């Protein structure tokens, strides 16, 4: 997993609440068996006026000129400001891969759906919670100033605006550690291989029917 | 220690029984008993294993099936769409390579992963069950801790049989008293989501309790837990009782005869203790619940069938009002329109929420000796599994549907998310027994109204929504 330490980047505002994973990456693109290539179809139904399908040449499509991420000023955006309950709906990690593929490394919202929140940490995208009033203020500044950037410092748990004002945020300490160091969860878990085997042995005795297996 | 500290909720009990290890910061290594796998969220996980040179920890904990991409017609011809076909072929190849049991597309047991798990007895009380699919919450109906995971976690479970998790909060939704006639499990769960909102369960495991939940069959309980995710909760759970035990008995992967007594003795404890502490409790009066119809683009946007489309101008919460305006625009509905005046183009009876035999029986009872309305272009029935389909055919339900003008299809996820050929065209309006009415969910520009199977059937006959209780 790519490490996340300090991010300084252009901010894009998309303040709708309940942005669901079907909106982030529509289902037809989930047919891919790869982890990459989803960025061009991020927010596909909002971003293009014509229907999207897998494998198409996106350069021939009609972008929706009114959709915020199509504005030239947000093409390089790496931080997304969003509304409440971001990422609700399905468990598709493709939603995180699509955001990452576009160039986003951090989504700032008042709240996130649980599975999306988990998936983000696994793929090096930081889901960052700030109060709605702060996000509204940052979004207003962002809209007023082309090229508006924020600095996100994960180690210090701090977002800093160009006016020098800083906002603290909370993050789970274990996830922070993994993200800062780009650690592979599976490798960490396998360090406890013996404990897993001990658990299995005990459990097999107490509840053998759980180990009948599907055969 | 006070007495209350010794009491546990159902969620506490299952969680505690699966803790392999707890880190200092409270992160728990949680053991996973059952891993259900489908074609959409697993290929990248299998690839990850291969790249890292790892093997699945316990293949006998896994059960795989292709459900999202499979066609619901002309199965023998295979999958026409080459991209869908590659994904299903990839699942087949991965399962064959690792010796994982898979019900392939033409296996008579194939079906929607959340239908076949319980049907096979692969889902048991007290288990931890995961799948790369948010509707894994369905299996919580058995007093199991079941939740959806992303592909990285799918790979993690494959490689280690565990997940790194922080414990959720305990939430109780109690549906008190009895529901009226014609009010189903689907209406109960839609009313709950309408009440607590789509973020109401965020960060929590919801236990559904109360007389109205206890009175439900296992299939009804699965419908309720299925949509816990639509209330924001990763997991929904229902305590074990005799209904649970009777359902589980003598299924292919259920405990053997010599294990049975010990198993049921253990399962009887899978209830929240008296006085167990919940972080949040919500009470809903069952008698107040009417048959529900969603009018918007979020499952919390529901109304009783006798109601009207609400008016955003009277909503005091500006964020909600803006969401309502967007939804009404997308759905092409005006405030004040009677729900019963909304005409439909298509009907979909199916999905992991409502495709089991009782759902099909309820729909068939409504349409028997009737015909679908002229304005209904397509009415689909997609059974949840090959076994559900077979049983329905033995009961003659397929003829009832066909005679009414419904199409009787092969099992799969179908038009719940329209990854296969079954979808809405832009602007079409559908009465659907599925779980999500998000923009574009059933096809780009398509408009979804979530209802129970009986309500979908009644709408098919009337051509518009109608109160099934007086139909």
């Amino acid at each position: 997993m790519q490490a996340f330490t300090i991010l300084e980047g252009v901010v894009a505002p998309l303040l709708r609440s309940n942005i669901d994973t079907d909106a982030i990456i529509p289902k037809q693109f989930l047919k891919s068996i790869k982890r990459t290539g989803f960025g061009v179809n991020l927010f596909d139904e909002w971003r293009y006026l014509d229907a999207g399908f897998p494998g198409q040449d996106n350069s021939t499509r009609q972008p929706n000129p009114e959709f915020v991420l199509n504005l030239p000023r947000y093409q390089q955006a790496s931080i997304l400001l969003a509304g409440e309950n971001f990422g609700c709906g399905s468990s598709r990690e493709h939603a995180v891969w699509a955001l990452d593929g576009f160039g986003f490394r951090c989504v700032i919202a008042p709240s996130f759906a649980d599975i999306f929140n988990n998936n983000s940490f696994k793929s090096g995208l930081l889901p960052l919670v700030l109060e709605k009033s702060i996000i509204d203020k940052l979004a207003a500044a962002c809209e007023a100033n082309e090229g508006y950037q924020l600095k996100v410092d994960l180690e210090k748990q701090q977002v800093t605006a160009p006016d020098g004002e800083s906002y603290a945020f909370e993050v789970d300490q274990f996830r922070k550690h993994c993200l800062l160091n780009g650690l592979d969860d599976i490798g960490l878990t396998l360090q406890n291989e013996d404990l897993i085997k001990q658990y299995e042995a005990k459990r097999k005795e107490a509840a053998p029917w759980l180990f009948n297996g599907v055969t | 220690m006070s007495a209350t500290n010794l009491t546990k909720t159902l969620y506490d009990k299952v969680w505690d029984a699966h803790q392999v290890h707890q880190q200092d910061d409270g992160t728990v290594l949680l053991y996973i008993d059952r891993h259900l796998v489908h074609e959409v969220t697993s290929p990248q996980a299998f690839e990850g294993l291969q790249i890292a040179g790892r093997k699945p920890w316990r293949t006998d904990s896994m059960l795989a099936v292709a459900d999202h991409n499979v066609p619901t017609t002309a199965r023998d011809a295979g999958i026409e769409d080459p991209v869908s076909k590659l994904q299903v072929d990839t699942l087949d190849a991965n399962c064959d390579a690792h010796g994982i049991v898979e019900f392939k597309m033409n296996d008579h047991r194939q079906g929607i992963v959340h239908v076949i798990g319980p049907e096979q007895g692969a889902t048991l009380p007290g288990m931890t069950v995961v799948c790369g699919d948010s509707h894994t919450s369905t299996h919580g109906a058995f007093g199991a801790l079941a939740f959806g995971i992303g592909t990285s976690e799918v790979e993690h479970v494959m490689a280690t049989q565990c997940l790194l998790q922080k414990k959720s909060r305990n939430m109780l939704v109690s549906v008190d008293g009895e529901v009226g006639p014609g009010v189903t499990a689907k209406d109960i769960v839609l009313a709950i989501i309408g009440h607590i909102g789509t973020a109401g369960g965020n960060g929590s495991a919801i236990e559904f309790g109360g007389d109205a939940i206890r009175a439900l069959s296992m299939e009804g309980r699965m419908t309720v837990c299925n949509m816990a995710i639509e209330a924001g909760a990763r997991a929904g759970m229902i305590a074990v009782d005799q209904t649970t035990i009777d359902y589980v008995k003598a299924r292919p992967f259920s405990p053997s005869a010599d294990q049975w007594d010990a198993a049921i003795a253990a399962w009887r404890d899978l209830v929240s203790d008296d006085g167990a502490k919940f972080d949040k409790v919500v009470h809903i009066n069952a008698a107040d619940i009417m048959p529900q119809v969603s009018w918007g683009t979020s499952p919390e946007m529901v109304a009783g069938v006798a109601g009207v489309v609400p008016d955003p101008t009277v909503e005091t919460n500006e964020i909600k009002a803006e969401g309502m305006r967007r939804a009404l625009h997308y759905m092409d509905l005006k405030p004040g329109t009677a729900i019963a005046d909304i005409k439909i183009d298509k009907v979909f009876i199916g999905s992991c929420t409502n495709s089991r035999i009782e759902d099909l029986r309820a729909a068939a009872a409504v349409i028997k000796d009737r015909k679908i309305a002229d304005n209904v272009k397509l009415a689909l029935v997609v059974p949840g599994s090959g076994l559900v389909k077979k049983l329905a055919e033995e009961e003659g339900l397929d003829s009832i549907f066909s005679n009414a003008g419904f199409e009787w299809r092969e099992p799969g996820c179908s038009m719940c998310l329209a990854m296969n050929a079954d979808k809405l065209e832009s602007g079409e309006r559908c009465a659907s027994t599925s779980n999500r009415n998000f923009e574009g969910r059933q096809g780009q520009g398509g408009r979804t109204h979530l209802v129970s199977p009986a309500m979908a059937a009644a709408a098919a006959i009337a051509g518009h929504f109608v109160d099934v209780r007086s139909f």
Side-chain angles (χ1 to χ4, degrees), chain A residues 27 31 93 172 174 199-200, chain B residues 17 25 31 81 152 166 440:
Chain A
K27 67 272 182 173
K31 295 178 185 185
E93 196 161 319
D172 179 275
F174 177 64
Y199 172 89
E200 276 184 333
Chain B
D25 68 354
Y31 190 81
D81 175 356
S152 294
K166 274 273 171 71

Side-chain angles (χ1 to χ4, degrees), chain B residues 132-163:
Chain B
D133 192 285
S134 59
H135 290 110
T136 309
S137 58
T138 309
H139 308 264
F142 291 82
L145 172 57
F147 53 91
I149 55 179
T151 298
S152 294
E153 290 191 317
V154 168
E155 185 183 338
H156 196 283
V157 178
M158 284 178 180
T160 70
Q161 209 57 38
C162 294
L163 279 175

Side-chain angles (χ1 to χ4, degrees), chain B residues 78-131:
Chain B
I79 303 174
E80 198 182 338
D81 175 356
V83 195
S84 287
K85 182 175 187 305
L86 176 62
Q87 199 164 51
V88 174
D89 288 349
T90 303
L91 179 68
D92 292 353
N94 282 326
C95 290
D96 290 348
H98 292 286
I100 295 162
V101 173
E102 182 199 7
F103 295 166
K104 293 198 164 75
M105 189 169 79
N106 289 317
D107 188 311
H108 70 287
R109 299 165 297 178
Q110 181 271 344
I112 304 172
V113 67
H114 306 307
V115 174
I116 67 166
E119 188 173 76
Q120 293 294 324
T123 301
L124 295 173
M127 272 185 165
T128 43
V129 181
V130 297
C131 176

Side-chain angles (χ1 to χ4, degrees), chain A residues 16 22 27 30-31 34 46 51 85 89 91 93 114 118-119 132 172 174 189 199-200 212-214, chain B residues 17 25 31 44 57 60 81 87 150-152 156 166 202-203 234 259 319 326 417 419 439-441 444:
Chain A
R16 299 173 193 180
D22 277 86
K27 67 272 182 173
L30 310 188
K31 295 178 185 185
K34 300 193 174 120
W46 294 345
N85 201 25
S91 69
E93 196 161 319
D114 289 349
N118 261 335
N119 288 344
K132 187 180 174 301
D172 179 275
F174 177 64
T189 296
Y199 172 89
E200 276 184 333
N212 287 356
V214 174
Chain B
D25 68 354
Y31 190 81
Q44 298 89 349
W57 182 283
D60 73 350
D81 175 356
Q87 199 164 51
T151 298
S152 294
H156 196 283
K166 274 273 171 71
N202 277 11
R234 282 181 93 182
Q259 295 168 334
I319 300 173
R326 279 186 57 84
L417 86 167
M419 269 188 86
E439 288 184 22
R441 171 82 178 179
Q444 189 166 17

Side-chain angles (χ1 to χ4, degrees), chain A residues 88-152:
Chain A
C88 62
S90 87
S91 69
R92 62 188 72 164
E93 196 161 319
H94 313 66
V96 177
W97 302 336
L99 287 159
D100 179 73
F102 183 91
F104 288 113
R105 298 291 322 279
C106 175
V107 181
I108 304 180
S111 61
F112 290 90
D114 289 349
I115 303 178
F116 178 86
N117 192 56
N118 261 335
N119 288 344
S120 300
F121 281 103
K122 306 288 178 189
S123 288
L125 179 87
L126 177 65
L128 193 159
V129 174
L130 288 180
E131 276 176 34
K132 187 180 174 301
S133 57
I134 298 172
I135 292 173
D136 286 347
K137 194 168 111 181
L138 296 176
C142 173
E143 276 163 14
N145 301 287
E146 191 164 340
Y148 183 82
Q149 296 204 3
L150 286 173
K151 180 178 169 186
V152 177

